[in-house]
Amino acid sequence: MTGPSLNPVSGTLELLILRTLGTGSELHGFAILEWIKRSTEGELIVEDGALYHALHRMEKRGLIGSEWGVSEKGRRARYYRISKAGKGVLAEEEERWSRYVEAVAKIAPCDAEG
Amino acid sequence: MSPKRRLFQLGLGRPGSRRTVDWEIEHHLAEQTDILVGEGWDPEAAREEAERRFGSLPRHRRQLVGMERRRRVVRRSVEWKEAVGSMFVHAARSIVRSPGLAAAVVIMLGLGIGVNTVMFGVIDRLLLKPPAHVEDADEVRRILVHGTLFGGERTIPALTYPDVEDLRSIPEFASVGAVSSAQEQTLGRGPDAMRVKAARATFDFFTTLGVTPRLGRFFAQDDDQIGAEATLVMSEEYWNRAFGGDVGILGRTVEINGNPFTVIGIAPRGFTGMDLTPVDVWLAALPAEFIRRGSDSFLTARGSYWLASVVRMADGASSEVAESKATALHLGGRADRIEEGRFNPETYVLTAPLIQARGPTASSTSRTALWLGGVSLIVLLIACANVANLLLTQASRKRQETAVRLSLGSSRPRLVGEMILGGFLLSSLGGLAALALTHAGGRVVQTLLPDVLWSGTMVSGRTIGITLLLTIAASLLAGLGPAIQSTRPDLAKELKEGGREGTHRRSRIRTTLTVAQAAMSVVLLVGAGLFLQSLKEVRSLDLGLDTDRLILAILETHGEELEAPERNLLYEDAMSRVAGMPGVAGVAVTDVPFQWYMRTNLRLPGVDSLPIPRGVGPLYYSVTPEYLNVLGLELIRGRTIEETDQDGTPLVAVVNETMARAFWPESDALGECFYFNGGESCTRVVGVVENSSVGDIDGSQWLTYYLPIAQTGFGAQGMYIRAEDDVDRVAASIAPTLRSFSPQIRYADIEPLHETLAPQSRSWTMGATLFSVLGLLALLVATVGLYSILAFDVLQRTREIGIRTALGAERSRVLKGVMADGGRIAVLGCLLGLMVAFLAAPFLEPLLFNVQGRDPWVLSGVGLVILAVASLSSLPPALRATRVDPVVALKEE
């Protein structure tokens, strides 16, 4: 089965978004961005606007869904959550990543463990 | 859980694409600014920094809005498809779940739509479509003459040959053609001879209509000359029927009434000329007419109106100008007769649409067809009302289910849509049933109209289109009301109460629908009654003549027409030969045979002008003494014409009742006298006979008088033979004698009167048949409607009735209650329907025959029928109500 997959170029960002939402929480765009920045410790450098492109693209492909709500600060905000299809893609990608990491590890043994 | 609250429970609509993006960006910038301010930024600088970090605002906004829009379009269409799909499933499931209801709906809609399609097929043929194979029919018009003709004021399509020549000289007409009416003639001779419907057509008749031959050619101008070889064109239908479509027929010679005609062409299938009546062969007009008359005097004399003319207007020509020119020529050609006061100078020529039913000479058949079209719409309305009723019943059964679905969040539009879709599925099936009915019923209706050439089945592109339209209209009509009513918001109450309220109130819509159905069926039944009554009148009237017993024989001689004394001798000879033949009860001769009209001047002594309106005669008949007896006219007083009334004895006459009343209202007319045809001596009335028709079924009220042919000296023109029993057999047995008894005889035209008359009673036959069918259909549907509403009520009230019975209510009271319920609906519908029928009566009256539109017998009869049928249909539910077992009813709780 070939479900929706990640765009190779923006793939990293999309995978990060899926991971952020993967726990099942509903977050608005700014919160997602904060979460990603924190978890990548500022390594991912993108314009803030690019995040929304990714979010909208993914919503169109059915990986995530969205709904309007009111934030704890009383602001009107659009909340995103992961969909069933999104969860599937997330699991696949994580598996691929771990295989990739394993393969890299075989070629370049990590001395830290040795 | 997330800390968000739902926004759109607040009643806000969903934001548009642009606003969605704006809101989202605004939220991001606001959050970012907050954080930066928290890090110590100045608020304005913080906002600028937030925007900088976001990237190019206009570009992002533009791209995001575009994406959002595309996403919405896709989502919407997916949602729509899913919704429709599931609506279909739901709708189909509800049909399968109640097959009885579905069958009832399909049958009712099938009937309702089907009768409409059939009537559309008829109206389409008579009124909408021009005769087949006519090119640019809008530019083709028929020529009519309005004036005093055949004893009365009328508009008729008849012209003399010189009149047609006149039309050809008018430049406003690009082309002029003419054709005689089709008459039965004999094709071939000996045992192979066949009767054919032969019309005489001028050379320009076919070119004016713009038809192209199927085979061979049509007449050229050279064929349409006296002295030219006589030629004919066959219809494709006749060619196939009689000659098996043999191409070798072209150039062959066939005999028409014993005269050779060469076949030169075949007209295409369906071609009937300017009318819709089938024609077997068209003879080249002038040669055929010359053969028929044995003289060419018709080329110049304006006495014989044998042609109907059709013209094609020149580009941009005004028909008013053409009409006034034609009128001038018409009157100019009769200047001498106008001067002598023998021709009405107010006569005028007019043009009328090619489609006869649209012009002033529209037949009562086409007018009746229009009425029937309206009537079949009523049947469809009744059917729709009934279907709506059934669907409402079903909807009330499903109220709980609907209420649950509504409260679980199914939207009302969706439920309404589902019901309409279900209705549409059902009505599509109904539409298919309607097409089947059109095919079968169309055939029956076609046989009621044998004067029209039908081309096979009535199911065609046009009728299918109409069926489709009616199906859509019917499904909306029948489905919308129930759908809206049954999803009303107060269903929540229904859900709570569980449909167990103590007393059940029937919905007002359903009662109204049932009353309306009853009313409409009353209207239709009244129409049916009136037409049946007309048909009965037509049949029982017998025109005053025993048409079922009479045969009219007209002798045609070779060469020039014989002088009166010679003709009378010839007819006397014929009379004596036929009189003794088996089955012949009597023979009489007249100078004015059936469907001829003759009047002449008549003067009463001492009276300047006669007190009679135009168009009612008086018509005269010179007859032999047996005439009144043979025709079956009853003598009311005085004596009939006798053998002793001869040339030289005192002049006598027998008058009909109308004439006696009109001329001598004070006396019994016997012994009174009048001057006939400018004569010197007064003709004395010796007898009064009952009224009779002069050939039109409508004409029985005309003033008529009968004179001894021996005294008038007018030449005999026809002979009536009265048969003892089987008129068709007698007609066949006398034919050989009459066609051969004298060398002077070329041909004898012998026809039983009932055949001559059949076309005239056709509109009533059609009206009576179809009105009855439609009326009974309506009655049936309305009966089912009343039954179903009462039956459903009883079902709903089972508990109430149970309690009542348990409390000691007598069963007879329960029975009466339900019956009274049905009775109220029937009485209300009946009154309403009778009122409508009463108001509509004057409009229908012109189509009836000797019947008042407000005929009390018909009105009261229909009322009784409706009430009787209503009682019958409320009886079963009422009986069921009495059988309600209180224990069972209460246990259902």
Side-chain angles (χ1 to χ4, degrees):
Chain A
M1 188 188 136
T2 55
S5 65
L6 293 180
N7 183 325
V9 180
S10 53
T12 321
L13 180 56
E14 293 186 357
L15 186 58
L16 286 170
I17 293 173
L18 285 179
R19 286 196 114 150
T20 310
L21 296 173
T23 55
S25 49
E26 282 185 291
L27 297 170
H28 50 68
F30 188 78
I32 295 172
L33 193 64
E34 287 291 292
W35 189 280
I36 291 174
K37 280 183 178 161
R38 224 175 301 142
S39 59
T40 57
E41 290 158 6
E43 286 298 314
L44 185 81
I45 304 163
V46 291
E47 278 183 340
D48 293 358
L51 173 82
Y52 290 95
H53 284 272
L55 284 172
H56 286 205
R57 216 163 32 231
M58 289 165 73
E59 185 175 12
K60 189 178 169 198
R61 272 151 52 201
L63 298 177
I64 56 176
S66 74
E67 194 174 19
W68 283 93
V70 180
S71 73
E72 56 269 57
K73 287 185 184 166
R75 288 196 177 109
R76 195 162 53 194
R78 189 174 183 177
Y79 284 87
Y80 294 90
R81 65 176 181 281
I82 193 164
S83 72
K84 216 172 162 187
K87 279 180 186 159
V89 169
L90 179 62
E92 252 174 52
E93 291 295 313
E94 278 179 338
E95 160 118 17
R96 223 172 54 166
W97 266 105
S98 58
R99 274 207 307 271
Y100 177 69
V101 171
E102 263 174 45
V104 171
K106 278 178 192 158
I107 298 162
C110 186
D111 51 343
E113 290 220 340
Chain B
M1 265 318 280
S2 72
K4 68 147 189 169
R5 284 180 281 131
R6 275 178 182 241
L7 184 60
F8 295 105
Q9 280 175 339
L10 309 177
L12 298 163
R14 276 168 203 269
S17 300
R18 181 173 296 279
R19 196 181 285 180
T20 303
V21 171
D22 283 350
W23 284 0
E24 193 167 25
I25 293 175
E26 182 50 42
H27 176 253
H28 179 94
L29 295 177
E31 293 281 328
Q32 184 72 65
T33 308
D34 278 359
I35 288 180
L36 291 174
V37 169
E39 288 171 3
W41 290 62
D42 170 71
E44 260 180 48
R47 173 80 189 189
E48 270 175 30
E49 175 62 14
E51 288 183 10
R52 193 193 59 76
R53 289 189 190 177
F54 195 83
S56 159
L57 265 178
R59 181 174 59 85
H60 281 307
R61 182 175 283 134
R62 199 180 61 240
Q63 289 174 349
L64 288 172
V65 168
M67 277 171 70
E68 178 72 13
R69 282 203 180 124
R70 285 192 296 277
R71 190 177 66 84
R72 283 178 185 222
V73 169
V74 170
R75 192 185 57 193
R76 221 169 280 156
S77 86
V78 167
E79 278 177 356
W80 194 81
K81 273 183 213 149
E82 277 174 0
V84 168
S86 96
M87 269 158 69
F88 249 107
V89 170
H90 260 100
R93 199 181 294 154
S94 77
I95 290 176
V96 174
R97 235 186 280 155
S98 37
L101 175 99
V105 170
V106 167
I107 289 172
M108 266 184 283
L109 286 183
L111 285 174
I113 296 170
V115 295
N116 275 277
T117 309
V118 169
M119 283 324 297
F120 171 78
V122 173
I123 292 170
D124 190 36
R125 177 66 280 181
L126 294 180
L127 273 122
L128 303 179
K129 275 196 297 196
H133 298 291
V134 177
E135 221 170 69
D136 299 326
D138 291 342
E139 287 151 31
V140 178
R141 297 182 71 80
R142 45 177 76 220
I143 300 288
L144 302 174
V145 178
H146 181 92
T148 315
L149 298 146
F150 303 118
E153 188 130 330
R154 5 179 133 215
T155 303
I156 56 162
L159 294 173
T160 67
Y161 185 75
D163 293 328
V164 175
E165 288 275 70
D166 286 347
L167 294 176
R168 286 179 178 146
S169 72
I170 295 173
E172 277 74 13
F173 299 142
S175 171
V176 176
V179 67
S180 76
S181 61
Q183 285 167 338
E184 294 249 315
Q185 309 214 338
T186 310
L187 188 145
R189 64 164 69 190
D192 296 334
M194 288 175 269
R195 291 300 264 177
V196 291
K197 294 207 174 74
R200 285 148 278 151
T202 61
F203 70 93
D204 37 15
F205 175 66
F206 296 96
T207 46
T208 302
L209 294 179
V211 55
T212 37
R214 158 84 171 74
L215 217 62
R217 61 181 181 87
F218 291 139
F219 306 128
Q221 191 159 6
D222 288 343
D223 296 314
D224 193 20
Q225 303 290 340
I226 287 175
E229 179 192 32
T231 48
L232 67 77
V233 168
M234 265 178 203
S235 76
E236 184 172 347
E237 287 86 347
Y238 181 71
W239 175 53
N240 282 328
R241 200 164 66 230
F243 297 96
D246 174 15
V247 182
I249 191 74
L250 290 182
R252 278 222 314 255
T253 299
V254 295
E255 277 188 13
I256 300 285
N257 281 2
N259 298 292
F261 280 77
T262 306
V263 182
I264 60 164
I266 310 290
R269 177 175 297 276
F271 179 72
T272 53
M274 57 197 279
D275 294 313
L276 303 171
T277 319
V279 174
D280 297 324
V281 296
W282 287 269
L283 312 175
L286 297 190
E289 190 67 5
F290 181 71
I291 291 169
R292 206 172 79 94
R293 292 176 187 266
S295 130
D296 64 0
S297 61
F298 66 88
L299 288 179
T300 49
R302 293 179 197 257
S304 172
Y305 294 83
W306 59 286
L307 288 167
S309 185
V310 64
V311 297
R312 186 174 287 276
M313 302 300 295
D315 276 346
S318 137
S319 51
E320 283 84 18
V321 173
E323 284 170 0
S324 65
K325 285 184 183 173
T327 302
L329 290 168
H330 196 85
L331 295 177
R334 293 166 174 80
D336 46 343
R337 270 190 282 164
I338 291 174
E339 206 156 298
E340 292 165 25
R342 290 194 292 128
F343 192 82
N344 183 354
E346 274 152 34
T347 303
Y348 58 88
V349 177
L350 62 156
T351 66
L354 176 64
I355 298 174
Q356 195 187 2
R358 291 194 194 162
T361 53
S363 65
S364 50
T365 302
S366 62
R367 282 179 289 146
T368 306
L370 270 184
W371 267 88
L372 288 167
V375 163
S376 53
L377 274 182
I378 299 185
V379 172
L380 181 58
L381 281 183
I382 297 180
C384 284
N386 213 335
V387 169
N389 231 337
L390 286 177
L391 293 181
L392 278 172
T393 313
Q394 190 205 24
S396 344
R397 272 193 212 118
K398 285 170 52 184
R399 276 178 96 96
Q400 281 210 53
E401 180 195 328
T402 308
V404 169
R405 283 186 64 193
L406 271 178
S407 70
L408 287 182
S410 287
S411 73
R412 192 162 167 238
R414 190 191 152 137
L415 287 182
V416 171
E418 225 168 70
M419 292 182 90
I420 291 178
L421 199 63
F424 188 74
L425 284 182
L426 281 180
S427 33
S428 305
L429 292 175
L432 286 179
L435 283 180
L437 181 75
T438 306
H439 180 70
R443 199 150 282 183
V444 175
V445 174
Q446 286 172 353
T447 62
L448 289 174
L449 292 164
D451 287 344
V452 176
L453 180 67
W454 299 96
S455 39
T457 176
M458 223 177 233
V459 178
S460 67
R462 289 165 77 103
T463 47
I464 289 175
I466 281 292
T467 306
L468 199 66
L469 273 180
L470 289 172
T471 304
I472 292 169
S475 62
L476 286 178
L477 216 57
L480 199 56
I484 288 173
Q485 209 221 358
S486 60
T487 56
R488 270 199 317 229
D490 64 355
L491 275 179
K493 205 178 87 199
E494 183 82 19
L495 186 59
K496 269 184 265 159
E497 292 171 358
R500 288 183 183 181
E501 69 271 55
T503 52
H504 166 77
R505 270 189 309 130
R506 183 168 49 233
S507 92
R508 195 166 294 162
I509 296 189
R510 285 171 52 219
T511 313
T512 314
L513 284 175
T514 314
V515 169
Q517 283 178 51
M520 287 189 278
S521 3
V522 167
V523 174
L524 292 202
L525 285 176
V526 167
L530 292 175
F531 270 92
L532 279 174
Q533 197 73 5
S534 296
L535 192 64
K536 205 181 113 206
E537 285 284 314
V538 170
R539 296 224 165 115
S540 69
L541 190 76
D542 276 346
L543 304 178
L545 326 168
D546 289 342
T547 48
D548 289 346
R549 288 289 178 78
L550 289 174
I551 301 159
L552 177 64
I554 293 177
L555 305 179
E556 291 170 3
T557 52
H558 290 293
E560 303 233 342
E561 192 166 311
L562 299 175
E563 293 299 318
E566 289 177 279
R567 296 185 68 79
N568 292 353
L569 281 176
L570 186 70
Y571 271 98
E572 260 173 48
D573 190 5
M575 266 171 73
S576 63
R577 284 169 196 268
V578 169
M581 295 181 67
V584 174
V587 192
V589 161
T590 175
D591 66 334
V592 187
F594 201 62
Q595 292 183 336
W596 291 32
Y597 309 85
M598 300 295 273
R599 50 182 277 176
T600 183
N601 52 339
L602 188 146
R603 192 165 57 79
L604 294 188
V607 179
D608 283 342
S609 66
L610 293 172
I612 43 168
R614 266 207 165 142
V616 296
L619 304 176
Y620 74 82
Y621 293 80
S622 324
V623 298
T624 54
E626 309 80 16
Y627 183 86
L628 298 174
N629 214 352
V630 166
L631 266 68
L633 296 177
E634 206 169 308
L635 191 68
I636 290 173
R637 50 183 178 268
R639 69 171 176 89
T640 174
I641 292 167
E642 288 167 1
E643 292 291 350
T644 51
D645 298 318
Q646 287 297 330
D647 192 18
T649 63
L651 301 180
V652 296
V654 172
V655 302
N656 75 349
E657 283 180 275
T658 318
M659 179 155 155
R661 255 201 316 275
F663 283 11
W664 303 285
E666 310 292 330
S667 78
D668 67 358
L670 294 183
E672 304 284 355
C673 84
F674 58 84
Y675 293 98
F676 169 72
N677 199 21
E680 302 265 302
S681 39
C682 211
T683 304
R684 201 155 294 281
V685 177
V686 295
V688 177
V689 288
E690 65 171 327
N691 288 335
S692 72
S693 166
V694 290
D696 267 332
I697 283 178
D698 282 329
S700 63
Q701 299 306 312
W702 290 43
L703 314 184
T704 309
Y705 57 109
Y706 305 89
L707 307 161
I709 198 166
Q711 292 184 343
T712 62
F714 293 161
Q717 297 285 0
M719 179 166 87
Y720 287 101
I721 298 102
R722 185 186 181 82
E724 272 169 358
D725 37 42
D726 187 344
V727 53
D728 295 308
R729 194 177 50 76
V730 173
S733 73
I734 62 175
T737 311
L738 286 179
R739 286 183 183 147
S740 63
F741 74 94
S742 155
Q744 287 172 300
I745 296 293
R746 177 170 57 74
Y747 183 68
D749 192 23
I750 297 156
E751 187 170 63
L753 280 199
H754 69 84
E755 274 179 30
T756 319
L757 282 170
Q760 293 194 35
S761 55
R762 219 157 263 160
S763 74
W764 295 292
T765 312
M766 180 179 84
T769 314
L770 294 184
F771 248 110
S772 304
V773 168
L774 296 176
L776 289 178
L777 220 60
L779 181 66
L780 188 76
V781 171
T783 309
V784 172
L786 183 63
Y787 167 81
S788 72
I789 195 174
L790 292 177
F792 182 66
D793 275 3
V794 169
L795 203 68
Q796 292 281 296
R797 287 166 56 191
T798 306
R799 184 164 166 267
E800 176 205 336
I801 296 171
I803 292 177
R804 283 208 199 165
T805 317
L807 292 178
E810 281 175 40
R811 285 177 192 263
S812 67
R813 281 197 57 177
V814 173
L815 181 89
K816 269 186 210 155
V818 177
M819 295 285 285
D821 215 18
R824 266 195 297 278
I825 291 176
V827 168
L828 207 62
C830 202
L831 288 179
L832 211 65
L834 289 179
M835 216 160 73
V836 173
F838 197 77
L839 293 177
F843 302 102
L844 187 61
E845 226 155 66
L847 293 175
L848 302 175
F849 182 75
N850 277 2
V851 173
Q852 299 291 309
R854 292 165 182 167
D855 187 278
W857 291 108
V858 170
L859 292 180
S860 52
V862 168
L864 283 178
V865 166
I866 287 283
L867 294 182
V869 169
S871 329
L872 272 181
S873 65
S874 18
L875 200 57
L879 287 175
R880 190 176 314 144
T882 63
R883 283 197 300 269
V884 168
D885 184 338
V887 181
V888 175
L890 294 175
K891 261 190 190 161
E892 271 178 12
E893 188 88 354

